[in-house]
Amino acid sequence: MYLRNTMKGNIGIAVFYMLLLLLPTDSIGKKMEEEQEKLFRQKRNPVIPAIYIGATVGPSVWAGLVAFVDVAAVTAANIRRASSDNHSCAGNRGWCRSKCSRHEYVDTYHSAVCGRYFCCRPR
């Protein structure tokens, strides 16, 4: 008889602790879900690298920037799209070419705006 009463008491305590463990999970799950929705709704705001601001870029670079940020941010940064990768670079001090001439050198810093070409600047 004593054993049955203790087991009933232990079952009661076990059920009580199970309820304590299970009740807050619903509210915790709702809080986490709300936080995830809030983060998802926040607009991403990645920074455009300084080399591209105010530059003319090729179509492939333009597409990459638009994929990285949106079109409004790219146009707000005064980034212009050239019709091909063959355009000026380094603030009109160089030209994007597939191969530089002998009197030019490759400006590796400004070549980022040239897409698959190189920024060739006079020596």
Side-chain angles (χ1 to χ4, degrees):
M1 182 81 167
Y2 176 75
L3 189 58
R4 280 190 201 162
N5 289 337
T6 16
M7 289 190 56
K8 284 182 183 176
N10 287 342
I11 291 173
I13 291 173
V15 169
F16 175 72
Y17 281 118
M18 291 287 280
L19 286 174
L20 286 177
L21 288 173
L22 295 176
L23 287 177
T25 56
D26 187 40
S27 61
I28 292 171
K30 284 182 183 177
K31 278 186 180 180
M32 289 177 63
E33 205 172 290
E34 289 172 1
E35 288 177 13
Q36 286 177 349
E37 282 182 32
K38 191 188 302 182
L39 288 173
F40 182 72
R41 279 181 280 170
Q42 286 177 346
K43 188 176 180 179
R44 62 182 184 153
N45 192 11
V47 177
I48 298 173
I51 189 171
Y52 297 114
I53 296 175
T56 302
V57 296
S60 58
V61 177
W62 173 268
L65 285 172
V66 169
F68 185 62
V69 294
D70 55 354
V71 176
V74 173
T75 54
N78 198 22
I79 300 173
R80 294 171 302 282
R81 180 179 181 260
S83 59
S84 71
D85 282 337
N86 188 8
H87 57 84
S88 67
C89 60
N92 290 333
R93 294 184 306 266
W95 197 262
C96 294
R97 295 190 176 97
S98 60
K99 193 175 187 182
C100 295
S101 301
R102 286 193 293 181
H103 67 279
E104 296 173 328
Y105 72 98
V106 176
D107 185 352
T108 55
Y109 179 74
H110 289 97
S111 289
V113 299
C114 294
R116 63 177 190 243
Y117 285 6
F118 302 104
C119 182
C120 300
R121 293 182 57 184
R123 293 185 189 262

